[in-house]
Amino acid sequence: MASGRARRDFFDARASDWEASCYPEEVRGRLLELLPCFDLTPGARVLDVGTGPGVLIPYLRRAVGPAGRVVAFDLSLPMARKAREKPLSPRDLVLQADGHRLPFRAAVFDRVICFAAFPHFDDPALALAEMARVLRPGGRLVIAHLLSREELTRHHGGHEAVADDILPPPALMGELFARAGLEPPSIEDRPGRYLASALKRGMPLSDESGRI
Ligand SMILES: C[S@@+](CC[C@H](N)C(=O)[O-])C[C@H]1O[C@@H](n2cnc3c(N)ncnc32)[C@H](O)[C@@H]1O
């Protein structure tokens, strides 16, 4: 089994050409089709988990508009540095952080999007619990990929450092969502797309302080 260090080195080394090599035109077209599933609205505060070089940031920024806020983080410093080059508003924030210990207060985001990153967490239950903690009640959490679960397993299998990084099977994913305080997820798993999406349980709060 590859170590966390090997995985980290793998992503660090690919930061500069990740977007160009992983997002050719055809893939970007499918990414555009996926965006409505993120359920983004103007003014929303959105967290981009494992942002990599910030591929999603321009789309999120456009969707939440001037009143919204995009916060993006990655464990890899080279990736976070690349992501910081994306056009941001003064309210936005891009940082290096570990998904297992998020440096944010509880219930401060309206949307939490974990795009192409969930299989890479050492402790998926803890990472999901952290994403749910920072999501407001009634907010939506989305785990998304542009490959099916099976395609992703095959794809990662071609790289030693991430060969064991897989998406949990549906029953376990449902269990992880329940334990994190989320509604049962709707899961779409088909060629070219994996999407697990659910709302956080509880009454919506009205904390408009804007502090994260
Ligand atoms: C496959 S890349 C996807 C990046 C980006 N979301 C994209 O689609 O281009 C997975 C990312 O997850 C990040 N990652 C892995 N473990 C992490 C953790 N514990 N906390 C935050 N990010 C993590 C990696 O550094 C990497 O940039």
Side-chain angles (χ1 to χ4, degrees):
M1 191 182 210
S3 69
R5 182 71 253 173
R7 186 194 293 124
R8 205 163 160 172
D9 290 346
F10 174 86
F11 287 120
D12 282 358
R14 283 162 176 76
S16 58
D17 64 356
W18 183 267
E19 182 158 2
S21 62
C22 298
Y23 291 89
E25 211 176 311
E26 180 273 329
V27 178
R28 207 166 275 275
R30 288 189 294 112
L31 172 56
L32 286 176
E33 287 169 17
L34 181 71
L35 295 175
C37 304
F38 296 166
D39 192 17
L40 295 166
T41 48
R45 297 159 299 180
V46 59
L47 180 65
D48 177 7
V49 174
T51 186
V55 175
L56 278 190
I57 290 176
Y59 305 106
L60 303 180
R61 169 96 302 291
R62 203 168 307 133
V64 302
R69 184 166 201 191
V70 177
V71 177
F73 73 91
D74 201 281
L75 183 63
S76 158
L77 186 57
M79 287 286 195
R81 283 198 175 124
K82 274 304 274 184
R84 215 169 264 171
E85 293 170 12
K86 297 288 178 186
L88 299 167
S89 99
R91 295 165 54 77
D92 299 341
L93 184 64
V94 177
L95 67 161
Q96 183 196 24
D98 185 347
H100 300 93
R101 282 182 299 278
L102 293 181
F104 310 119
R105 300 189 314 141
V108 288
F109 293 103
D110 303 298
R111 300 285 179 272
V112 174
I113 313 293
C114 183
F115 177 57
F118 194 70
H120 303 300
F121 293 118
D122 289 330
D123 185 339
L126 179 57
L128 194 60
E130 274 294 87
M131 291 183 226
R133 180 183 67 78
V134 301
L135 183 64
R136 70 161 167 80
R140 181 173 294 282
L141 186 141
V142 178
I143 293 174
H145 293 265
L146 293 173
L147 294 172
S148 71
R149 182 170 172 268
E150 194 186 311
E151 287 168 336
L152 196 67
T153 302
R154 260 187 275 127
H155 174 66
H156 286 169
H159 306 277
E160 202 183 331
V162 294
D164 302 314
D165 296 2
I166 58 169
L167 280 165
L172 178 56
M173 191 60 113
E175 219 175 278
L176 295 179
F177 270 63
R179 270 161 43 193
L182 298 157
E183 298 283 354
S186 70
I187 298 181
E188 186 184 355
D189 186 8
R190 60 166 167 87
R193 179 177 292 188
Y194 177 90
L195 189 71
S197 173
L199 301 180
K200 181 172 171 177
R201 292 203 193 103
M203 289 287 287
L205 303 169
S206 61
D207 175 8
E208 298 305 331
S209 70
R211 286 183 296 144
I212 60 169

